[in-house]
């Protein structure tokens, strides 16, 4: 895990400490966390209820901040689920993106998209000296 304060792993560790300091671990079963995640996702959705497509893309500043708060709640609960189930969210998302690319191939994939789906080890390979 990185010590950089802006990583998901840092947030996961901060959530562990936050929970431990309040003795909340007994409430944080995967089932309970997923139920809370669902509630927070519904609260996020509520901000867009009855908006037009255009209104949903151009939120006023106060609404944008309220949406950001709900996004944070969803993310924090999701990271807590990952903590409880020992899931690395970055690895899981990368694997899922590759699965989705195979399941839903782009008609004309761009070079950037192809490069983004390569495993890190493939990106580091160097061409043979004979080439």
């Amino acid at each position: 895990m990185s010590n950089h304060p802006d990583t998901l792993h840092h947030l996961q560790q901060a959530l562990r400490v936050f929970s431990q300091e309040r003795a909340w671990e007994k409430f944080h079963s995967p089932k309970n966390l997923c139920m809370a995640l669902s509630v927070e996702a519904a609260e996020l959705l509520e901000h867009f209820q009855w908006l037009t497509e255009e209104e949903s893309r151009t939120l006023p500043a106060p609404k944008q901040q309220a949406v950001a708060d709900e996004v944070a709640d969803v993310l924090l609960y999701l990271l807590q689920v990952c903590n409880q189930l020992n899931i690395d969210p970055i690895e899981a998302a990368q694997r899922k993106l590759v699965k989705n690319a195979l399941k839903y191939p782009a008609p004309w994939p761009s070079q950037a998209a192809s490069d983004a789906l390569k495993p890190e080890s493939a990106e580091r390979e160097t061409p043979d000296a004979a080439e």
Side-chain angles (χ1 to χ4, degrees):
M1 284 190 205
S2 171
N3 288 328
H4 192 272
D6 293 333
T7 67
L8 286 180
H9 292 120
H10 180 269
L11 279 175
Q12 284 181 278
Q13 183 56 36
L15 281 166
R16 284 185 197 100
V17 170
F18 186 88
S19 177
Q20 289 166 354
E21 289 175 344
R22 290 153 182 82
W24 287 352
E25 299 94 349
K26 62 186 171 205
F27 305 113
H28 287 180
S29 68
K31 176 193 75 73
N32 288 348
L33 291 169
C34 286
M35 288 177 10
L37 172 61
S38 176
V39 170
E40 293 300 339
E43 289 179 10
L44 173 60
L45 179 59
E46 187 176 24
H47 289 283
F48 296 96
Q49 189 175 14
W50 313 121
L51 296 183
T52 66
E53 290 290 324
E54 181 58 30
E55 289 170 333
S56 74
R57 295 176 191 276
T58 55
L59 299 174
K63 175 74 90 175
Q64 179 87 11
Q65 183 55 55
V67 167
D69 287 345
E70 297 303 339
V71 166
D73 285 340
V74 168
L75 176 61
L76 293 173
Y77 273 112
L78 183 59
L79 291 177
Q80 289 180 80
V81 170
C82 289
N83 281 347
Q84 291 298 311
L85 297 175
N86 296 314
I87 294 171
D88 182 314
I90 298 296
E91 286 178 17
Q94 289 171 335
R95 280 193 312 273
K96 184 62 175 176
L97 185 57
V98 169
K99 284 182 184 180
N100 286 348
L102 294 171
K103 186 174 181 178
Y104 307 106
W108 302 282
S110 68
Q111 185 60 44
S114 297
D115 290 345
L117 292 174
K118 287 181 188 173
E120 285 186 43
S121 60
E123 291 177 16
R124 293 188 193 126
E125 290 179 11
T126 57
D128 291 336
E131 291 183 31

